[in-house]
Amino acid sequence: VCVFPCLCVVCAYVHVCTCVHVQDKAVLADTARQNFFRPGGDHLTLLNVYNEWHETNFSTQWCFENYIQFRSMRRARDVRDQLESLMERVEIEVTSNLGDATAIRKAITSGFFYHTARLSKGGDYKTVKQPQTVHVHPNSSLFQETPRWLIYHELVMTTKEYMRQVIEIEPSWLLEVAPHYYKEKDIEDGASRKMPKRVGATSATLRST
């Protein structure tokens, strides 16, 4: 597992989920947020935010220009440093391969495997265990996408039951990381079911067709 980027994802999620929304600059703030989007989901987007901030030597001005709260970013960095220190104390090697998005997504799956939703034939998402209808949050980088399988961080109830912080996964990973929780029958229906055209595909997939 690529430990360094996963540390950044965890800390970025805890502290960076809130951007500064200035009322008279809402459009600019939303555009800045969307510029950070990365294929695969929100956790990779958060990692991109942290990495870009790191490249500026943790600049306050960069946060201001991108409508991001500097104090939240600073807390994220502090927590990341603390976690890295604890890992060094117990002699866990801190490795990094920022280009391996699959390893990062698998690591997140291993931590949140019980928060899984799959796309139904009707176009709605349903949680895999104790099925209930859920929706991708409008602020998500995957809001306009329809991947078949998602891991979400939490559910938030407003007008609908929304999944916040979602990431696209492969169903086979569930059997790999949580064989005690998932069985083949839990994923085989969703994996083999034929979907309507253009449903169950991300924008990257659609661009290649």
Side-chain angles (χ1 to χ4, degrees), residues 113 173-183:
F113 59 84
W173 297 350
L174 299 172
L175 298 178
E176 181 180 338
V177 304
H180 60 290
Y181 193 76
Y182 291 101
K183 304 304 177 185

Side-chain angles (χ1 to χ4, degrees), residues 33-78:
R33 178 176 59 85
Q34 293 173 21
N35 286 337
F36 288 113
F37 285 178
R38 287 295 177 269
D42 298 326
H43 300 75
L44 298 176
T45 294
L46 290 172
L47 177 60
N48 184 45
V49 171
Y50 190 92
N51 287 339
E52 288 201 19
W53 183 54
H54 182 274
E55 290 174 1
T56 68
N57 196 27
F58 309 113
S59 166
T60 305
Q61 181 64 25
W62 180 88
C63 291
F64 177 79
E65 292 172 353
N66 288 279
Y67 303 92
I68 293 174
Q69 294 179 353
F70 174 74
R71 286 181 297 177
S72 295
M73 296 295 290
R74 185 172 57 191
R75 287 197 299 270
R77 181 188 61 191
D78 291 345

Side-chain angles (χ1 to χ4, degrees), residues 12-35:
Y13 174 74
V14 171
H15 293 296
V16 185
C17 288
T18 54
C19 292
V20 177
H21 288 287
V22 183
Q23 188 171 7
D24 61 344
K25 295 184 178 180
V27 174
L28 292 175
D30 285 341
T31 299
R33 178 176 59 85
Q34 293 173 21
N35 286 337

Side-chain angles (χ1 to χ4, degrees), residues 12-191:
Y13 174 74
V14 171
H15 293 296
V16 185
C17 288
T18 54
C19 292
V20 177
H21 288 287
V22 183
Q23 188 171 7
D24 61 344
K25 295 184 178 180
V27 174
L28 292 175
D30 285 341
T31 299
R33 178 176 59 85
Q34 293 173 21
N35 286 337
F36 288 113
F37 285 178
R38 287 295 177 269
D42 298 326
H43 300 75
L44 298 176
T45 294
L46 290 172
L47 177 60
N48 184 45
V49 171
Y50 190 92
N51 287 339
E52 288 201 19
W53 183 54
H54 182 274
E55 290 174 1
T56 68
N57 196 27
F58 309 113
S59 166
T60 305
Q61 181 64 25
W62 180 88
C63 291
F64 177 79
E65 292 172 353
N66 288 279
Y67 303 92
I68 293 174
Q69 294 179 353
F70 174 74
R71 286 181 297 177
S72 295
M73 296 295 290
R74 185 172 57 191
R75 287 197 299 270
R77 181 188 61 191
D78 291 345
V79 172
R80 197 213 69 83
D81 290 345
Q82 291 173 26
L83 290 174
E84 183 176 14
S85 178
L86 288 172
M87 293 178 66
E88 291 174 350
R89 189 179 305 173
V90 296
E91 299 182 349
I92 297 177
E93 183 181 1
V94 179
T95 58
S96 179
N97 182 358
L98 297 178
D100 193 351
T102 297
I104 297 171
R105 290 189 292 140
K106 274 189 176 182
I108 293 168
T109 302
S110 69
F112 290 91
F113 59 84
Y114 45 88
H115 284 176
T116 304
R118 67 183 173 196
L119 191 66
S120 68
K121 192 171 183 179
D124 293 324
Y125 283 99
K126 294 187 180 297
T127 53
V128 176
K129 296 288 188 176
Q130 301 176 341
Q132 66 180 107
T133 300
V134 291
H135 305 270
V136 176
H137 195 278
N139 287 339
S140 171
S141 61
L142 292 180
F143 181 61
Q144 301 293 337
E145 314 276 353
T146 53
R148 288 198 176 193
W149 290 80
L150 293 173
I151 289 282
Y152 60 90
H153 181 83
E154 62 182 354
L155 293 177
V156 176
M157 182 64 185
T158 55
T159 55
K160 298 178 180 179
E161 194 87 33
Y162 284 111
M163 299 179 285
R164 292 196 62 185
Q165 304 304 322
V166 296
I167 196 166
E168 182 181 1
I169 67 164
E170 296 292 335
S172 59
W173 297 350
L174 299 172
L175 298 178
E176 181 180 338
V177 304
H180 60 290
Y181 193 76
Y182 291 101
K183 304 304 177 185
E184 189 70 37
K185 63 182 178 62
D186 292 322
I187 69 169
E188 60 187 8
D189 290 339

